[in-house]
């Protein structure tokens, strides 16, 4: 994988841009829709920031790419599951605790949950059990974990790419059918189709996987056909112009993997990309509470938004450096200690 560090660095930069887009969407047009800002957003800025909510779709493409890379480097499903748990859960638990406390202290009151619900969120099974999210942004984490579970089952169960590709093709076909007949899906099929197969988003993950295959192993005609159909799903899954934006994100991702966006790998974007997961965990409801507090304290709206953004970045940085990185480092050390060591050469 020649030039992999530079290429993957540009992917981190894209991750940082996507995270910033999601944050600004939540703090500006979405907060205005939910609670009302005391100033009017310029129409052009509001229209532009509405695209920020689709930054999550870029995360899903990136997950497909990275998870398939991880699967190829992992011996069995148990190690894969442990690695994913260590990657997600420690930071998530801190994010849940901070968000729970912040919402009960600063509001918004309509986003508060009880302690039992907060504890259930720590498992990321809460949505399947009908419990609300501690933070609205956590909906995508439930999809991520469901995707990890499917991939552990399929990758290690099927063994060969040719078999896995058939299953992925069937999943893409089901995803087309699911979004075309979304409103006509019978009640008894809603959970398996909309939740377990997450037909609105599955082709994004599959697109990332196929781009990884093309990048790492080259591509076949069958791979390219499946990739085209997987990308095309975006055109019917969302309305214009947002579907075109998702297509553009896919194109940018492919360009970055091909090495054409290495100029994005600048320190500020790489820093933001490194914080993106922690930032995603703590920005929304904590930010809403700070913005609302700012209005109650008489601060101008832009000052409250700036304070919310600064707080989210500081918390994300602390979680990243004090929780995420140490947890991953300890897991890698522990895993390495269990690996069989080569026998010394005999003379």
């Amino acid at each position: 994988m020649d030039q992999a560090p530079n290429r993957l660095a540009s992917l981190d930069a894209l991750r940082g841009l996507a995270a910033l887009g999601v944050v600004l969407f939540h703090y500006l047009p979405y907060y205005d829709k939910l609670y009302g800002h005391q100033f009017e957003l310029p129409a052009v800025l509001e229209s532009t920031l509405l695209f920020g909510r689709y930054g999550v779709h870029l995360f899903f493409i990136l997950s497909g790419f990275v998870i398939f890379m991880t699967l190829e480097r992992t011996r069995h499903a148990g190690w894969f599951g442990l690695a994913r748990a260590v990657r997600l859960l420690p930071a998530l638990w801190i994010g849940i605790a901070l968000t729970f406390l912040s919402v009960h202290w600063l509001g918004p009151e309509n986003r508060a949950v009880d302690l039992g619900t907060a504890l259930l969120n720590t498992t990321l099974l809460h949505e399947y059990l009908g419990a609300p999210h501690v933070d609205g942004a956590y909906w995508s984490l439930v999809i991520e974990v469901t995707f990890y579970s499917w991939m552990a089952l399929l990758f290690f169960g099927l063994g060969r790419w040719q078999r896995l590709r058939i299953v992925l093709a069937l999943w893409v076909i089901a995803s087309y059918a699911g979004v075309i007949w979304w409103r006509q899906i019978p009640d008894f099929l809603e959970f398996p189709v909309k939740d377990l197969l997450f037909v609105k988003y599955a082709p994004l993950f599959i697109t990332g996987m196929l781009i990884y295959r093309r990048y790492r192993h080259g591509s076949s005609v069958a791979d390219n056909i499946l990739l085209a159909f997987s990308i095309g799903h975006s055109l019917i899954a969302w309305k214009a112009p947002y579907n075109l934006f998702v297509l553009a994100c896919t194109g940018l991702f492919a360009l970055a993997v091909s090495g054409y966006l290495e100029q994005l790998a600048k320190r500020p974007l790489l820093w933001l990309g490194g914080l993106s997961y922690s930032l995603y965990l703590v920005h929304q409801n904590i930010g809403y509470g700070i913005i609302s507090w700012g209005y109650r304290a008489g601060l101008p709206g832009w000052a409250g938004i700036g304070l919310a953004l600064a707080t989210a970045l500081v918390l994300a940085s602390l979680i990243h450096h004090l929780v995420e990185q140490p947890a991953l480092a300890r897991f890698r050390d522990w895993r390495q200690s269990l690996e069989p060591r080569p026998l010394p050469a005999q003379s």
Side-chain angles (χ1 to χ4, degrees), residues 92-121:
L92 173 69
W93 294 338
I94 298 299
I96 287 172
L98 292 174
T99 302
F100 178 81
L101 294 172
S102 173
V103 171
H104 280 272
W105 178 34
L106 296 175
E109 291 182 4
N110 68 334
R111 297 212 158 210
V113 300
D114 58 51
L115 181 59
T117 299
L119 292 175
L120 192 57
N121 269 241

Coordinates of all heavy atoms in Angstrom, one line a residue, residues 92-121:
L92 N -17.4 6.8 24.3 CA -18.9 6.9 24.4 C -19.4 7.0 25.8 O -20.2 7.8 26.1 CB -19.5 5.6 23.7 CG -21.0 5.5 23.9 CD1 -21.7 6.6 23.1 CD2 -21.5 4.1 23.5
W93 N -18.8 6.2 26.7 CA -19.3 6.2 28.1 C -19.0 7.6 28.7 O -19.9 8.1 29.5 CB -18.6 5.1 28.9 CG -19.0 3.7 28.5 CD1 -20.2 3.4 27.8 CD2 -18.3 2.5 28.7 NE1 -20.2 2.1 27.6 CE2 -19.1 1.5 28.1 CE3 -17.1 2.2 29.3 CZ2 -18.7 0.2 28.1 CZ3 -16.7 0.9 29.3 CH2 -17.5 -0.1 28.7
I94 N -17.8 8.2 28.5 CA -17.6 9.5 29.0 C -18.5 10.5 28.3 O -19.0 11.4 29.0 CB -16.1 9.9 28.7 CG1 -15.1 8.9 29.4 CG2 -15.8 11.3 29.1 CD1 -15.3 8.9 30.9
G95 N -18.7 10.4 27.0 CA -19.6 11.3 26.3 C -21.0 11.2 26.9 O -21.7 12.3 27.1
I96 N -21.5 10.0 27.2 CA -22.8 9.9 27.8 C -22.9 10.6 29.2 O -23.9 11.3 29.5 CB -23.2 8.4 27.9 CG1 -23.5 7.8 26.5 CG2 -24.4 8.2 28.8 CD1 -23.7 6.3 26.5
A97 N -21.9 10.3 30.0 CA -21.9 10.9 31.3 C -21.9 12.5 31.3 O -22.7 13.1 32.0 CB -20.7 10.4 32.1
L98 N -21.0 13.0 30.4 CA -21.0 14.5 30.3 C -22.3 15.1 29.8 O -22.7 16.1 30.2 CB -19.8 14.9 29.4 CG -18.4 14.6 29.9 CD1 -17.3 14.9 28.9 CD2 -18.1 15.4 31.2
T99 N -22.8 14.4 28.8 CA -24.1 14.9 28.2 C -25.2 14.8 29.1 O -26.0 15.7 29.3 CB -24.4 14.1 26.9 OG1 -23.3 14.2 26.0 CG2 -25.6 14.6 26.2
F100 N -25.3 13.7 29.8 CA -26.3 13.5 30.9 C -26.3 14.6 31.9 O -27.3 15.2 32.2 CB -26.2 12.1 31.5 CG -27.2 11.8 32.6 CD1 -28.4 11.4 32.3 CD2 -26.8 12.0 33.9 CE1 -29.4 11.1 33.3 CE2 -27.7 11.7 34.9 CZ -29.0 11.2 34.6
L101 N -25.1 14.9 32.4 CA -25.0 15.9 33.5 C -25.3 17.3 32.9 O -25.9 18.1 33.5 CB -23.6 15.8 34.1 CG -23.2 14.6 34.9 CD1 -21.7 14.6 35.2 CD2 -24.1 14.5 36.1
S102 N -24.8 17.6 31.7 CA -25.0 18.9 31.1 C -26.4 19.2 30.8 O -26.9 20.3 31.1 CB -24.2 19.0 29.8 OG -24.5 20.2 29.1
V103 N -27.1 18.2 30.3 CA -28.6 18.4 30.0 C -29.4 18.6 31.2 O -30.3 19.5 31.3 CB -29.1 17.3 29.1 CG1 -30.6 17.4 29.0 CG2 -28.5 17.2 27.8
H104 N -29.1 17.9 32.3 CA -29.8 18.1 33.6 C -29.4 19.4 34.2 O -30.2 19.9 35.0 CB -29.5 16.9 34.5 CG -30.4 15.7 34.2 ND1 -31.6 15.5 34.7 CD2 -30.1 14.6 33.3 CE1 -32.1 14.3 34.2 NE2 -31.2 13.8 33.4
W105 N -28.3 20.0 33.9 CA -27.9 21.2 34.5 C -28.3 22.4 33.6 O -28.9 23.4 34.1 CB -26.3 21.2 34.6 CG -25.7 22.5 35.2 CD1 -26.3 23.3 36.1 CD2 -24.5 23.0 34.9 NE1 -25.5 24.4 36.4 CE2 -24.3 24.2 35.6 CE3 -23.4 22.6 34.0 CZ2 -23.2 25.0 35.5 CZ3 -22.3 23.4 34.0 CH2 -22.2 24.6 34.7
L106 N -28.0 22.4 32.3 CA -28.2 23.5 31.4 C -29.4 23.4 30.5 O -29.8 24.3 29.9 CB -27.0 23.7 30.6 CG -25.7 24.1 31.3 CD1 -24.5 24.2 30.3 CD2 -25.8 25.5 32.0
G107 N -30.0 22.1 30.4 CA -31.0 21.9 29.4 C -30.4 21.5 28.1 O -29.2 21.2 28.0
P108 N -31.2 21.4 27.1 CA -32.7 21.6 27.0 C -33.5 20.6 27.8 O -33.1 19.4 27.7 CB -33.0 21.6 25.5 CG -31.7 21.7 24.8 CD -30.7 21.2 25.7
E109 N -34.5 21.0 28.5 CA -35.2 20.0 29.3 C -35.9 18.9 28.5 O -36.0 17.8 29.0 CB -36.3 20.8 30.1 CG -35.8 21.7 31.1 CD -36.9 22.4 31.9 OE1 -38.1 22.1 31.7 OE2 -36.6 23.3 32.8
N110 N -36.3 19.2 27.3 CA -36.9 18.2 26.5 C -36.0 17.1 26.0 O -36.4 16.1 25.3 CB -37.7 18.8 25.3 CG -36.8 19.4 24.3 OD1 -35.7 19.8 24.6 ND2 -37.3 19.5 23.0
R111 N -34.7 17.3 26.3 CA -33.7 16.3 25.8 C -33.1 15.5 27.0 O -32.2 14.7 26.9 CB -32.5 17.0 25.1 CG -33.0 17.6 23.8 CD -32.0 17.6 22.7 NE -32.7 17.8 21.4 CZ -32.2 17.3 20.3 NH1 -31.1 16.6 20.3 NH2 -32.9 17.5 19.2
A112 N -33.7 15.7 28.2 CA -33.2 15.0 29.4 C -33.8 13.6 29.4 O -34.9 13.4 29.0 CB -33.6 15.8 30.7
V113 N -33.0 12.7 29.9 CA -33.4 11.3 30.1 C -33.1 10.9 31.5 O -32.3 11.5 32.2 CB -32.7 10.3 29.1 CG1 -33.0 10.7 27.6 CG2 -31.2 10.3 29.3
D114 N -33.7 9.8 31.9 CA -33.4 9.3 33.3 C -32.1 8.5 33.3 O -31.6 8.1 32.3 CB -34.6 8.5 33.9 CG -35.0 7.3 33.0 OD1 -34.1 6.5 32.7 OD2 -36.2 7.2 32.7
L115 N -31.7 8.2 34.5 CA -30.4 7.5 34.7 C -30.5 6.1 34.0 O -29.5 5.7 33.4 CB -30.1 7.4 36.2 CG -28.7 6.7 36.5 CD1 -27.6 7.4 35.8 CD2 -28.5 6.6 38.0
G116 N -31.6 5.4 34.2 CA -31.7 4.1 33.6 C -31.5 4.1 32.1 O -30.9 3.2 31.5
T117 N -32.1 5.1 31.5 CA -32.0 5.2 30.0 C -30.6 5.6 29.6 O -30.0 5.0 28.6 CB -32.9 6.3 29.5 OG1 -34.3 6.0 29.8 CG2 -32.8 6.5 28.0
A118 N -29.9 6.4 30.4 CA -28.5 6.7 30.1 C -27.6 5.5 30.2 O -26.8 5.3 29.4 CB -28.0 7.8 31.1
L119 N -27.9 4.7 31.2 CA -27.1 3.4 31.4 C -27.4 2.5 30.2 O -26.4 1.8 29.7 CB -27.4 2.8 32.7 CG -26.9 3.5 33.9 CD1 -27.4 2.8 35.2 CD2 -25.4 3.7 34.0
L120 N -28.6 2.4 29.8 CA -28.9 1.6 28.6 C -28.2 2.1 27.4 O -27.8 1.3 26.5 CB -30.4 1.6 28.4 CG -31.0 0.5 27.5 CD1 -30.6 -0.9 27.9 CD2 -32.5 0.6 27.4
N121 N -28.1 3.4 27.2 CA -27.3 3.9 26.1 C -25.9 3.5 26.0 O -25.3 3.4 24.9 CB -27.3 5.5 26.1 CG -28.5 6.1 25.4 OD1 -28.3 6.9 24.5 ND2 -29.7 5.8 25.9

